[in-house]
């Protein structure tokens, strides 16, 4: 099989990769904000729950979490299609890292801004959403862009729970054509083409918005 | 309940610690309504802390604080989400040393924000009132400027307008000129001077500007290490201080 | 859905054996990454443009493609070029190469955080380049890097399950093996998750306290 014949099949897989990335990213952002803000709640119980959520998801690998959802959930009677499993698994995993970004960038907004808001008798929720969050959001962009790249790469794992993404398409083609070198090189190249622009964007954002670097890296 | 004789501010045996350090040592103070009180002293003496406690920005460990007869409950936890504005907090306005303007809003926005969001004015009314206040502090044409486009003195004047917008009965000025370049100090003091002349507000000023304190204060406190060392009228404290420590401090300050 | 504790106890040794392999692979992979990362970081500063560009390209490539696919590539394609390595070695190589790209960034920021004045002082004392690096720059660059390196170590630990796909007998493979043989999924995977947490949480805590200690 030649290059032109291989490409369409791989591209179809790439489309699934992008789909999973996008859906998981939405979930990750939503949960990330929710959990990140919960980490700042006055209630110790809520803070504790949020912290446990983050520590557990960060402390085990995404693959283990995916396998858990894929193999163990059905035993409890809940069988999800592979796409849903993939999106939930990767999305929740990424949300743990996203929540750390949210929590720490809010922490970098100067205490003085909180004080000024409080001095004007603004209730905490108002201070958060009118004063602190608008200042924290630009700072969140570069790490979020980074997380997106990591998420894109992590989607390769879903090939192991039978989802027909780019990596899965690659292994299928290798089995069908035996052209290991060509197929895997193409797969690598396609991932690069998808991820590199995001990496560049992230670096540009970091330069423009005054990079925020913390121990939030998601290796 | 507050009447003409109840002091508008009262602190009784207030003790505040930060970790192991004692910041306020059983401090007691009564401020009648309308008084202009200047607080001077070396850094670390606890002067700013008094203002911050009155405004409910920090917890205290012992004693009582009353604003217009209403006791203040210290915030319970360190988390900002647990802080609710203290009782009668709306009666007290505060201006900070570092202005603390909201960088993502214009001068008009800064002044109008709390008017609209906390006092519930419509956006239009809030902005109209904000415009008046900015004109009052001499920043008539600067409504659309962002804080980073304004000088330190201008920023501080916006901060004063912002605090005044809430129509407080007590204004707290926490070293409001200490972060300014010398040539900008005058414009801010001018605003405060006008305010003291044209309103009956109670004003507490923590300041290093001795001349200014002498000029507008009715009463001066000298503090050191969390205690009030001397409490007298400016004419007395500045010319014939009773305590040796006050004398030493004034000497050191005037020598600079 | 029940959790059979007796069964879990029975299979624990299998998982622990896998865990030992996991740690082995992780240690070797990380050492490779440390060495590779330093080499890349130095290469990025090389006066020769070719070296600089080659290193930059390698780093970009490794950082923008998934580890899993890199692993497949090494496992299936190297033999075609005549190099046949046992799965464990391939796994270590994949982890080491991938992480060397990330670690080179850590080295880079560590090196750049050393104040310019230090370099100038060394130059003023006519210290040769090698000594400048060994005695002045690296000793100052490394301590702040340690917590971040620690985080990457934990990251590598969490990536080791990938090696199961090329049949390396690490923890995940052991769990899958038990599940495949006994058709019981709950115990092995839960134990796996628990083992993961038991190993990674204390390590994270350690590195985080190290970080606050270094900063304060």
């Amino acid at each position: 099989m030649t290059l032109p014949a291989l490409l369409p099949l791989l591209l179809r897989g790439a489309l699934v990769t992008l789909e999973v990335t996008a859906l998981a990213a939405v979930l990750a952002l939503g949960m990330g904000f929710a959990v990140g803000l919960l980490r700042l709640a006055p209630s110790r119980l809520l803070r504790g729950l949020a912290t446990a959520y983050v520590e557990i998801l960060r402390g085990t690998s995404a693959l283990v979490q995916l396998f858990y959802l894929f193999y163990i959930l059905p035993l409890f009677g809940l069988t999800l299609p592979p796409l849903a499993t993939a999106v939930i698994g990767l999305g929740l995993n990424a949300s743990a890292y996203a929540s750390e970004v949210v929590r720490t960038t809010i922490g970098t907004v100067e205490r003085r801004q909180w004080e000024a808001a409080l001095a004007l008798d603004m209730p905490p929720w108002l201070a958060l959403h009118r004063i602190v969050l608008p200042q924290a959001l630009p700072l969140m962009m570069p790490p979020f862009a980074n997380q997106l790249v990591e998420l894109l790469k992590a989607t390769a794992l879903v090939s192991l729970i039978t989802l027909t993404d780019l990596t899965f398409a690659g292994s299928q083609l290798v089995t069908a054509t035996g052209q290991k070198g060509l197929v895997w090189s193409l797969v690598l190249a396609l991932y690069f083409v998808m991820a590199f622009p995001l990496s560049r964007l992230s670096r540009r954002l970091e330069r423009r918005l005054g990079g925020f670097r913390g121990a939030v890296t998601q290796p | 309940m507050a009447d003409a004789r109840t002091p508008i501010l009262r602190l009784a045996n207030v003790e505040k610690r930060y970790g192991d350090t004692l910041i306020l040592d059983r401090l007691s103070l009564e401020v009648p309504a309308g008084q202009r009180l200047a607080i001077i002293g070396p850094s670390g003496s606890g002067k700013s802390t008094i203002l911050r406690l009155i405004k409910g920005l920090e917890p205290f460990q012992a004693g009582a604080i009353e604003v217009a007869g209403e006791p203040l409950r210290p915030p319970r936890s360190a988390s900002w989400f647990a802080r609710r504005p203290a009782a009668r907090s709306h009666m007290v306005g505060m201006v900070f040393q570092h202005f603390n303007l909201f960088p993502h809003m214009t001068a008009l926005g800064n002044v109008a924000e709390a008017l609209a969001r906390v006092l519930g004015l419509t956006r239009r009314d809030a902005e109209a009132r904000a415009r008046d206040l900015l004109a009052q502090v001499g920043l008539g044409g600067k409504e659309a400027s962002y804080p980073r486009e304004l000088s330190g003195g201008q920023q501080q004047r916006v901060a004063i307008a912002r605090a005044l917008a809430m129509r407080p009965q007590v204004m707290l000025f926490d070293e409001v000129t200490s972060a300014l370049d010398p040539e900008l100090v005058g414009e801010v003091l001018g605003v405060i001077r006008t305010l003291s002349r044209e309103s009956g507000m109670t004003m507490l000023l923590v300041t290093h500007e001795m001349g200014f304190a002498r000029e507008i204060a009715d009463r001066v406190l000298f503090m050191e290490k969390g205690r009030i060392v001397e409490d007298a009228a400016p004419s007395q404290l500045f010319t014939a201080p009773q305590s040796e420590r006050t004398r030493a401090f004034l000497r050191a300050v005037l020598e600079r | 859905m029940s959790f059979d504790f007796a069964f879990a106890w029975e299979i624990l040794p299998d998982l622990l054996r896998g865990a030992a392999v996991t740690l082995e692979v992780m240690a070797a992979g990380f050492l490779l990454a440390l060495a590779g990362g330093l080499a890349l970081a130095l290469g990025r500063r090389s006066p020769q443009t070719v070296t600089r560009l080659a290193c930059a390209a390698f780093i970009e490539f490794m950082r923008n493609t998934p580890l899993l696919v890199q692993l497949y590539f090494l496992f299936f394609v190297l033999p075609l070029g005549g190099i046949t390595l046992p799965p464990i070695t391939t796994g270590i190589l994949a982890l080491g190469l991938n992480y060397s790209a990330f670690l080179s960034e850590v080295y880079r920021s560590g090196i750049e955080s050393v104040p310019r004045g230090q370099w100038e002082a060394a130059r003023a004392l006519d210290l040769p380049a090698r000594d400048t690096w060994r005695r002045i720059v690296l000793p100052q660059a490394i301590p702040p890097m340690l917590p971040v390196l620690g985080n990457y170590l934990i990251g590598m630990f969490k990536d080791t399950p990938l090696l199961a796909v090329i049949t390396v007998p690490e923890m995940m493979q052991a769990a899958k093996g038990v599940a495949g043989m006994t058709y019981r999924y709950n115990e092995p995977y839960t134990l796996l998750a628990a083992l993961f947490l038991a190993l990674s949480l204390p390590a994270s805590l350690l590195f985080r306290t190290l970080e606050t200690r270094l900063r304060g």
Side-chain angles (χ1 to χ4, degrees):
Chain A
M1 238 185 172
T2 55
L3 180 63
L6 289 170
L7 265 180
L9 295 159
L10 290 178
L11 285 176
R12 221 178 297 158
L15 220 58
V16 175
T17 293
L18 288 174
E19 202 188 320
V20 175
T21 307
L23 292 172
V26 170
L27 179 60
L29 264 178
M31 284 300 288
F33 266 99
V35 174
L37 291 176
L38 271 180
R39 294 273 299 245
L40 301 168
S43 153
R44 200 180 264 179
L45 176 66
L46 288 176
R47 278 206 308 273
L49 283 173
T51 310
Y53 177 92
V54 173
E55 291 302 327
I56 292 179
L57 286 177
R58 286 207 307 182
T60 51
S61 83
L63 184 57
V64 174
Q65 288 158 24
L66 279 176
F67 266 60
Y68 218 87
L69 286 174
F70 193 65
Y71 289 113
I72 309 269
L73 229 47
L75 300 176
F76 286 89
L78 184 63
T79 313
L80 296 164
L83 180 62
T85 313
V87 170
I88 293 176
L90 289 177
L92 290 185
N93 182 273
S95 75
Y97 296 91
S99 80
E100 280 295 275
V101 174
V102 170
R103 184 180 69 90
T104 41
T105 35
I106 288 183
T108 62
V109 175
E110 283 190 326
R111 190 163 212 257
R112 293 179 192 153
Q113 290 292 304
W114 285 102
E115 291 189 344
L118 203 68
L120 293 169
D121 299 327
M122 290 191 192
W125 185 245
L126 185 70
L128 177 69
H129 111 261
R130 290 286 297 175
I131 307 300
V132 179
L133 224 43
Q135 296 184 53
L137 275 170
L139 294 176
M140 294 187 200
M141 292 302 140
F144 275 163
N146 259 325
Q147 293 296 317
L148 194 58
V149 176
E150 294 300 318
L151 188 57
L152 177 65
K153 293 192 293 175
T155 58
L157 296 175
V158 307
S159 63
L160 300 171
I161 58 168
T162 74
L163 196 56
T164 55
D165 75 322
L166 177 55
T167 309
F168 192 82
S171 6
Q172 279 188 317
L173 279 175
V174 165
T175 318
T177 69
Q179 298 195 290
K180 306 187 186 113
L182 181 58
V183 171
W184 287 124
S185 304
L186 280 176
V187 170
L188 282 172
L190 281 172
Y191 272 111
F192 187 78
V193 162
M194 289 191 285
F196 189 61
L198 283 175
S199 295
R200 283 279 295 268
L201 176 68
S202 160
R203 269 192 297 250
R204 200 178 311 151
L205 284 175
E206 198 162 321
R207 258 197 309 266
R208 280 248 231 102
L209 299 172
F212 161 73
R213 220 163 266 153
V216 189
T217 45
Q218 175 199 20
Chain B
M1 270 297 99
D3 61 41
R5 282 160 306 155
T6 318
I8 201 164
L9 292 174
R10 181 199 287 172
L11 283 77
N13 290 310
V14 172
E15 204 175 284
K16 173 166 175 76
R17 287 171 190 281
Y18 191 69
D20 288 329
T21 325
L22 184 61
I23 308 229
L24 289 181
D25 189 357
R26 278 161 308 157
L27 194 113
S28 295
L29 175 64
E30 281 187 13
V31 182
Q35 185 170 76
R36 281 72 201 276
L37 175 63
I39 308 180
I40 64 175
S43 18
S45 54
K47 333 188 279 291
S48 294
T49 310
I50 295 182
L51 298 191
R52 293 169 65 85
L53 288 183
I54 293 173
K55 192 59 205 175
L57 293 177
E58 293 197 24
F60 54 95
Q61 282 71 38
I65 300 183
E66 279 175 21
V67 177
E70 188 93 7
L72 201 77
R73 250 172 337 145
R76 239 163 321 147
S77 89
S79 161
W80 281 98
F81 280 82
R83 309 271 177 111
R84 308 245 157 261
R88 306 278 182 167
S89 176
H90 60 279
M91 289 180 58
V92 181
M94 185 157 180
V95 185
F96 300 89
Q97 182 176 351
H98 294 283
F99 341 133
N100 297 359
L101 292 182
F102 306 135
H104 57 299
M105 297 180 178
T106 59
L108 190 71
N110 263 274
V111 181
E113 183 66 15
L115 283 175
R117 296 297 178 137
V118 178
L119 292 187
L121 269 65
T122 63
R123 201 80 213 176
R124 195 140 49 99
D125 289 341
E127 288 186 356
R129 178 153 170 71
R131 246 180 270 275
D132 281 339
L133 283 160
L134 283 173
Q136 250 184 282
V137 298
L139 289 171
K142 297 279 183 186
E143 291 90 352
S145 303
Y146 282 91
R148 61 178 174 274
E149 297 166 344
L150 299 171
S151 76
Q154 291 170 324
Q155 288 186 54
Q156 194 61 296
R157 286 189 275 153
V158 175
I160 295 177
R162 184 174 69 173
L164 287 176
M166 307 294 279
R167 294 196 208 258
Q169 292 182 26
V170 179
M171 276 289 273
L172 306 176
F173 295 93
D174 186 4
E175 298 207 34
V176 299
T177 53
S178 302
L180 294 177
D181 289 335
E183 69 269 16
L184 301 173
V185 169
E187 66 194 60
V188 175
L189 295 183
V191 169
I192 302 179
R193 186 182 292 122
T194 314
L195 196 62
S196 78
R197 257 186 242 143
E198 293 178 2
S199 77
M201 277 186 208
T202 313
M203 289 162 65
L204 271 71
L205 297 97
V206 170
T207 183
H208 290 307
E209 299 285 333
M210 301 301 160
F212 189 67
R214 202 167 176 168
E215 182 194 330
I216 73 163
D218 307 319
R219 177 181 172 199
V220 181
L221 295 179
F222 172 67
M223 282 187 66
E224 203 181 47
K225 297 210 189 58
R227 291 173 162 224
I228 300 176
V229 174
E230 195 160 339
D231 178 353
S235 54
Q236 198 207 312
L237 192 135
F238 284 113
T239 46
Q242 302 237 320
S243 157
E244 173 52 41
R245 270 134 74 206
T246 318
R247 277 197 287 267
F249 175 74
L250 289 175
R251 250 198 320 265
V253 167
L254 294 172
E255 235 152 61
R256 287 169 79 244
Chain C
M1 184 61 246
S2 62
F3 187 88
D4 187 348
F5 280 95
F7 179 62
W9 188 249
E10 254 179 68
I11 60 171
L12 188 60
D14 295 312
L15 287 184
L16 286 177
R17 255 192 299 267
V21 176
T22 298
L23 291 174
E24 233 181 87
V25 168
M26 185 187 79
F30 202 69
L31 284 173
L32 178 59
L34 279 173
L38 184 57
L40 284 170
L42 294 175
R44 286 275 295 262
R45 299 168 69 99
S46 156
Q48 281 125 351
T49 319
V50 179
T51 320
R52 271 207 318 274
L53 288 178
C55 289
F58 179 81
I59 293 173
E60 279 308 318
F61 189 74
M62 296 308 273
R63 288 174 57 140
N64 284 292
T65 50
L67 177 57
L68 181 60
V69 184
Q70 293 167 7
L71 191 59
Y72 282 141
F73 189 86
L74 285 174
F75 189 67
F76 291 114
V77 178
L78 277 185
L80 298 179
I83 314 173
T84 320
L85 299 163
I88 283 196
T89 317
T90 314
I92 292 175
L93 190 63
L95 284 173
L97 286 177
N98 180 280
Y99 273 77
S100 68
F102 290 96
L103 293 191
S104 80
E105 269 301 293
V106 180
Y107 279 112
R108 192 178 67 85
S109 50
I111 292 172
E112 282 176 10
S113 74
V114 174
R116 188 137 258 279
Q118 297 290 304
W119 292 92
E120 293 173 350
R123 174 96 48 90
L125 292 168
D126 288 320
L127 272 182
R130 180 187 290 176
D131 285 336
T132 309
W133 278 102
R134 269 198 334 134
R135 310 273 299 165
I136 310 292
V137 178
L138 284 178
Q140 294 187 56
I142 291 185
M145 281 166 37
L146 290 176
V148 188
L149 287 179
N151 273 323
Y152 277 108
L153 181 63
I154 297 176
M156 189 181 276
F157 171 64
K158 292 189 291 174
D159 274 337
T160 53
L162 261 61
L163 269 47
V165 311
I166 60 168
T167 72
V168 172
E170 45 72 61
M171 272 201 305
M172 176 109 187
Q173 182 74 315
K176 277 171 70 176
V178 170
M181 274 204 308
T182 65
Y183 293 100
R184 302 184 65 111
Y185 292 90
N186 199 4
E187 290 83 1
Y189 283 120
T190 309
L191 264 188
L192 176 66
L195 266 178
F196 254 99
L197 283 175
L199 287 169
S200 69
L201 277 183
S204 313
L205 246 97
L206 175 68
F207 289 115
R208 238 172 297 171
T209 35
L210 187 63
E211 178 167 23
T212 34
R213 253 256 247 86
L214 277 174
R215 209 178 283 168

